[in-house]
């Protein structure tokens, strides 16, 4: 096996652990060359995805959407609402669509980036200073994620969320 093939195989294993999402800077930091990146795009191994790249054949999961959106939204962006609830492990049996294809991110008020209809940016005047990190993804705490989710969910799903969270002891009356 050539050195290039070994380098690409090692890189692919690393990216698979990250839901198939990576940035150009991460690829270069991990030893790939600009030529490797161009070849990966042209031969279909990778596809452009929300300002980053996605391995071909990797499912465009909710976590992949959040990861890609975070990469593009800046270093102080943080996942919130149903995106954070899904990663925190909220029980899907509650009738609430958590971790769906829409990524909800909290960003600073002065951050202006357009990521399309699959990403909702909540521009905050008070910056979230503490984050919980799960699988390398920064998240607001569960209480804040619940409040933010209630802001965006349809009324029936919001009621289901408010009914389920005390059962899980995630919030109290």
């Amino acid at each position: 096996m050539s050195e290039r093939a070994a380098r690409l195989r090692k890189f692919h294993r690393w990216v698979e652990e990250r839901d198939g999402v990576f940035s150009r800077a991460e690829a270069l930091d991990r030893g790939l060359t600009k030529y490797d990146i161009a070849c990966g795009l042209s031969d279909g191994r990778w596809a452009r995805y929300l300002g980053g790249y996605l391995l071909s054949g990797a499912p465009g999961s909710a976590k992949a959407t959040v990861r890609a959106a975070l990469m593009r939204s800046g270093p102080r962006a943080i996942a919130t609402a149903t995106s954070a609830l899904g990663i925190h492990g909220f029980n899907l049996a509650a009738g609430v669509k958590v971790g769906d294809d829409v990524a909800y991110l909290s960003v600073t008020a002065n951050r202006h980036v357009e990521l399309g209809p699959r990403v909702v940016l909540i521009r905050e005047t008070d910056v979230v200073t503490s984050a919980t990190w799960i699988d390398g993804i920064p998240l607001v705490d569960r209480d804040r994620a619940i409040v933010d989710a209630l802001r965006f969910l349809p009324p029936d799903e919001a009621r289901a969320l408010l009914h389920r969270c005390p059962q899980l002891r995630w919030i109290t009356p």
Side-chain angles (χ1 to χ4, degrees), residues 74-90:
R76 293 176 32 187
I78 186 169
T80 189
T82 55
S83 298
L85 288 177
I87 297 168
H88 273 298
F90 184 77

Side-chain angles (χ1 to χ4, degrees), residues 89-91 94 142 161 163-171:
F90 184 77
N91 184 349
R142 287 190 304 200
L161 177 65
H163 179 73
R164 184 70 175 134
C165 285
Q167 293 173 345
L168 295 170
R169 292 188 162 86
W170 280 20
I171 59 172

Side-chain angles (χ1 to χ4, degrees), residues 9-11 43 71 78 109 124 135 156 159-160:
R9 182 168 291 164
K10 182 178 178 182
F11 178 74
D43 67 16
M71 283 190 301
I78 186 169
E124 306 285 353
D135 292 336
D156 289 344
R159 277 191 288 281

